[in-house]
Amino acid sequence: MTRYRHLLQQVRNLGRYPTDEEAERALDAVLTLLGSQLTGDERCDLAAALPERARAVLAAQIPLPSPVTAPAFVESLAHSLGTSLTAARWDASSVLAALTTLTDDTLTDRLLAHLPRGYALLFGRADLAAVA
């Protein structure tokens, strides 16, 4: 099984999508948005961990000057997929949790440190950062 097919199956299983096409739609939409959020070494290291097709989707995006909040990420995803916020949150979590199977904990920690607070839950992790 190719690396991309394996990632797609991870997304499909985690998201309980009935078809590969639905899983791929969520994967592409989340990678497109994530590509606009990441810069620097984190972006490069995540891209290197991704299968070629997924890497191309992520790398094709121009990063924003600063990442948006997790709720804004979900809202953008809902808009791009034409779904509800609840469905978009599910899609984001399904894809981002699948990405963690391709990376080590250190890279996931770095990604979360680069993104605004609130993304940890989307990656399937508890947000244990102290509230200031």
Side-chain angles (χ1 to χ4, degrees):
M1 182 180 293
T2 67
R3 289 183 66 225
Y4 180 76
R5 183 93 183 119
H6 180 2
L7 175 59
L8 188 59
Q9 285 305 305
Q10 288 280 1
V11 171
R12 185 172 176 183
N13 291 338
L14 289 169
R16 301 176 196 246
Y17 298 105
T19 66
D20 285 351
E21 291 76 20
E22 288 182 56
E24 190 167 48
R25 183 172 180 249
L27 176 61
D28 288 348
V30 171
L31 287 174
T32 295
L33 281 175
L34 189 61
S36 69
Q37 305 304 303
L38 298 173
T39 59
D41 291 340
E42 290 77 21
R43 179 185 174 96
C44 293
D45 292 346
L46 177 59
L50 294 174
E52 185 176 335
R53 186 188 177 296
R55 180 182 320 125
V57 173
L58 179 90
Q61 307 313 307
I62 297 171
L64 297 170
S66 61
V68 299
T69 65
F73 183 90
V74 170
E75 286 176 28
S76 293
L77 186 60
H79 179 72
S80 74
L81 291 173
T83 62
S84 68
L85 291 176
T86 301
R89 195 173 305 108
W90 180 267
D91 293 333
S93 293
S94 298
V95 171
L96 295 175
L99 293 184
T100 66
T101 67
L102 300 177
T103 64
D104 59 23
D105 286 340
T106 303
L107 178 54
T108 302
D109 290 343
R110 288 176 38 223
L111 292 171
L112 291 172
H114 180 80
L115 296 166
R117 187 159 186 248
Y119 277 85
L121 294 174
L122 295 176
F123 276 86
R125 289 185 165 192
D127 190 351
L128 301 177
V131 177

